[in-house]
């Protein structure tokens, strides 16, 4: 039996050892991925991507040291730090990128779009979307347009995201722009357009775009999972992991799929592959792993094990929310609501009030509706779901919560319409799906 270990350093070191029961990437559905999903190019050997990034960092560090008053090499160094941040999830790389970009602008304040783009992406990672959009607009480039698209989606401005992504796809048609346009279409409930753009994205991918290739397949898989098409979602997740075997986003989403199927050991194994958790090196996936492990233990009837992981996740999220560096207010609110502690409802509402000032997407509004339900403020909860659905998004979880709220308010016909929309969106969205999603109903 293959064993996997995860070190959790939160107060004390806890070692978890789980038996791997996961399907092997190179066999089964992943190896037989049909042409629309198959990665056509040679995959990098294990560790090659991070090794190449380390070499690139060393290269630009050396160039910047040789020219301490220059700006372009520092901007390029900051961009490489960002690549490492996305590849590993380690928040330290974002801070290094930000420092390099500020030094670059100090040396070269005019015409330095590279440094501005780094700061725009760091601002987006901090959930400071207004600053991210402003800086991205100053770059006047296609990379800046990509930041505008994702930031406008986070702010709940699907129309603004659509405007930016159409310009982006016109200027730079390809894997990245088509993937982003698919995301905008999902936010607007345009399923056929989203599917067509995911197909265009993979058809347009080129050699060397391994990170973007894995990202596109993972997002397409996530979209299919949310439509109840689990077999195809698995194919795409496994193909993403065939491209990049340690790709965190694919591991997390595949773990959710395994959890939905009741494959608890497989889900735990996937989660423990995502990241090694240490207090010295905080990672964007820390709380995701801990919450996933908590829910896995709970679904297996291990209440004590679940409580231990919820405690660890809460410690991480409180630290992140208090620092103000990389947000996670919404995630902390979700955790407090999941724990069914009445004392946590007021804090969750406070956290969401702050979050909604910067991020007003459907997910944040759905979480607000959940908190308002728990507080007995049903009319306000209904208003939150109405706003969340206003852009046209089709989400079984959101439809179902809106239906429960309408039912409680005595609006039977409206509730039944919403229940039907949830079933049509995802025919597999049953009680177990709601438990795995952590809806708290």
């Amino acid at each position: 039996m293959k064993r996997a270990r995860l070190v959790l350093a939160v107060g004390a070191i806890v070692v978890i050892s789980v038996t791997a029961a996961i399907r092997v990437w190179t066999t089964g559905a992943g190896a037989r991925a049909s042409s629309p999903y198959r990665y056509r190019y040679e995959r990098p050997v294990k560790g090659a991507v991070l090794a190449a990034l380390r070499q690139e960092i060393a290269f630009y560090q050396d160039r910047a040291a040789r020219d301490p008053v220059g700006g372009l090499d520092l901007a390029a160094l900051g961009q490489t730090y960002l690549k490492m941040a996305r590849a590993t999830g380690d928040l330290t790389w974002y801070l290094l990128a930000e420092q390099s970009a500020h030094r670059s602008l100090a040396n070269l304040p005019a015409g330095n779009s590279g440094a501005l783009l780094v700061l725009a992406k760091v601002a987006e990672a901090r959930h400071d979307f207004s600053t991210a959009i402003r800086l991205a607009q100053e770059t006047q480039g296609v990379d800046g347009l990509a930041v505008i698209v994702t930031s406008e989606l986070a702010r709940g401005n699907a129309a603004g995201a659509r405007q930016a992504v159409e310009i982006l796809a016109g200027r730079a048609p390809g894997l990245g722009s088509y993937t982003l346009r698919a995301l905008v279409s999902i936010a607007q409930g345009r399923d056929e357009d989203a599917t067509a753009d995911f197909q265009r994205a993979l058809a347009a991918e080129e050699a060397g775009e391994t990170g973007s290739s894995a990202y596109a397949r993972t997002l397409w898989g996530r979209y299919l999972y949310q439509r109840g098409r689990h077999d195809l979602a698995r194919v795409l997740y496994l193909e993403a992991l065939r491209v990049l075997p340690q790709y965190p986003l694919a591991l997390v989403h595949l773990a959710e799929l395994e959890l939905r199927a009741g494959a608890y050991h497989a889900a735990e194994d996937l989660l423990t592959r995502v990241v090694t958790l240490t207090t010295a090196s905080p990672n964007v996936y820390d709380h995701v792993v801990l919450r996933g492990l908590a829910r896995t233990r709970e679904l297996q009837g291990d209440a004590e094990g679940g409580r231990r992981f919820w405690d660890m996740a809460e410690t991480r999220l409180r630290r992140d929310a208090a620092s103000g560096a990389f947000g996670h207010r919404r995630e902390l609110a979700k955790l407090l609501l999941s724990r069914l502690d009445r004392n946590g409802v007021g804090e969750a509402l406070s956290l969401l009030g702050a979050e909604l000032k910067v991020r007003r997407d459907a997910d944040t509004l759905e979480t607000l509706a959940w908190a308002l339900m728990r507080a007995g403020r049903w009319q306000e909860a209904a208003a939150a779901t109405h706003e969340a659905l206003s852009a046209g998004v089709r989400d079984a979880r959101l439809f179902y919560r809106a239906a429960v709220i309408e039912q409680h308010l005595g609006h039977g016909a409206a509730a039944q319409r919403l229940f039907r929309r949830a079933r049509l969106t995802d025919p597999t969205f049953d009680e177990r799906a709601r438990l795995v999603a952590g809806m708290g109903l």
Side-chain angles (χ1 to χ4, degrees):
M1 287 281 187
K2 192 174 180 179
R3 311 284 287 184
R5 295 187 179 272
L6 169 66
V7 178
L8 304 173
V10 181
I13 296 178
V14 181
V15 178
I16 303 161
S17 195
V18 296
T19 302
I22 188 171
R23 298 160 179 81
V24 179
W25 313 137
T26 55
T27 62
R32 297 192 299 272
S34 57
S35 56
Y37 317 114
R38 182 81 171 176
Y39 183 68
R40 303 183 300 276
Y41 303 101
E42 184 178 353
R43 293 172 295 152
V45 298
K46 184 177 181 180
V49 172
L50 292 183
L53 286 174
R54 284 192 288 269
Q55 290 179 355
E56 189 175 344
I57 287 171
F59 173 78
Y60 284 114
Q61 283 176 334
D62 180 66
R63 287 181 62 99
R66 293 172 181 268
D67 183 18
V69 296
L72 297 180
D73 290 324
L74 281 168
L77 178 60
Q79 291 165 2
T80 309
Y81 285 146
L82 280 179
K83 293 178 189 177
M84 186 65 88
R86 288 194 296 270
T88 64
D90 189 335
L91 296 177
T92 304
W93 296 110
Y94 284 106
L95 300 177
L96 289 171
E98 184 178 40
Q99 292 169 7
S100 293
H102 281 306
R103 288 173 57 201
S104 175
L105 283 170
N107 290 347
L108 184 64
N112 195 345
S113 60
L116 289 173
L117 182 63
V118 170
L119 293 179
K121 291 181 177 179
V122 172
E124 185 178 33
R126 293 184 187 277
H127 300 172
D128 184 357
F129 300 110
S130 296
T131 298
I133 290 170
R134 176 179 59 78
L135 291 169
Q137 288 171 337
E138 291 182 33
T139 69
Q140 299 183 342
V142 293
D143 289 333
L145 281 168
V147 173
I148 293 170
V149 172
T150 49
S151 293
E152 290 289 20
L153 283 176
R155 294 205 304 181
N157 182 11
R162 170 65 64 182
Q163 182 179 15
V165 83
E166 293 296 354
I167 297 172
L168 174 62
R171 290 185 187 176
L175 173 61
S177 60
Y178 292 144
T179 299
L180 288 180
R181 195 163 67 180
L183 288 182
V184 176
S185 291
I186 291 170
Q188 295 182 312
R190 295 163 55 168
D191 283 12
E192 291 185 3
D193 291 342
T195 298
D197 268 327
F198 278 130
Q199 292 170 341
R200 289 188 186 98
L202 297 197
E205 69 184 345
E206 299 178 359
E209 294 183 292
T210 50
S212 297
S213 294
Y215 179 64
R217 284 171 174 80
T218 303
L219 293 183
W220 194 358
R222 177 64 175 170
Y223 163 75
L224 290 169
Y225 173 82
Q226 292 172 335
R227 297 298 180 267
R229 302 179 67 183
H230 296 175
D231 288 345
L232 277 179
R234 182 183 298 281
V235 168
L236 281 154
Y237 292 154
L238 292 177
E239 192 65 7
L241 290 167
R242 199 177 71 84
V243 178
L244 291 177
Q246 290 300 120
Y247 187 55
L249 196 62
L251 289 169
V252 166
H253 287 314
L254 183 56
E256 182 181 17
L257 195 154
E258 296 289 13
L259 195 58
R260 182 82 171 267
Y264 300 117
H265 293 304
E268 284 194 336
D269 184 73
L270 285 160
L271 288 167
T272 58
R273 291 169 186 258
V274 173
V275 65
T276 298
L277 302 170
T278 65
T279 54
S281 183
N283 192 291
V284 71
Y285 291 102
D286 290 354
H287 68 91
V288 178
V289 170
L290 290 166
R291 287 188 296 149
L293 290 170
R295 186 153 288 122
T296 302
R297 293 301 176 91
E298 282 187 341
L299 289 171
Q300 294 179 84
D302 180 5
E304 179 57 33
R307 191 158 43 247
R308 185 171 69 251
F309 283 118
W310 284 126
D311 288 344
M312 293 176 180
E314 184 173 343
T315 298
R316 288 297 176 112
L317 287 169
R318 285 193 180 282
R319 181 197 63 194
D320 293 347
S323 72
F326 291 95
H328 294 158
R329 287 182 295 252
R330 182 177 71 191
E331 287 68 27
L332 177 56
K334 284 184 177 181
L335 183 146
L336 293 172
L337 295 169
S338 295
R339 303 198 77 173
L340 302 178
D341 180 358
R342 294 294 303 177
N343 295 327
V345 175
E347 184 180 1
L349 284 168
S350 178
L351 288 163
L352 290 165
E355 186 70 0
L356 285 162
K357 293 177 181 178
V358 295
R359 181 162 60 169
R360 209 172 181 89
D361 60 357
D363 193 14
T364 307
L365 288 164
E366 191 267 341
T367 309
L368 174 65
W370 181 7
L372 290 167
M373 288 168 63
R374 293 282 308 282
R377 295 158 59 179
W378 292 88
Q379 291 287 356
E380 293 171 79
T385 56
H386 291 167
E387 182 180 346
L389 291 167
S390 63
V393 64
R394 298 179 65 238
D395 185 320
R397 182 188 59 176
L398 181 53
F399 286 139
Y400 195 91
R401 190 176 299 284
V404 170
I405 293 169
E406 295 294 344
Q407 191 173 57
H408 180 88
L409 292 171
H411 305 156
Q416 288 307 311
R417 283 196 300 271
L418 288 161
F419 280 131
R420 282 196 297 273
R421 294 185 74 181
R423 288 193 297 272
L424 287 171
T425 300
D426 180 358
T428 73
F429 195 73
D430 54 13
E431 183 179 359
R432 178 170 183 80
R434 294 189 288 277
L435 284 172
V436 171
M439 289 188 65
L441 292 170

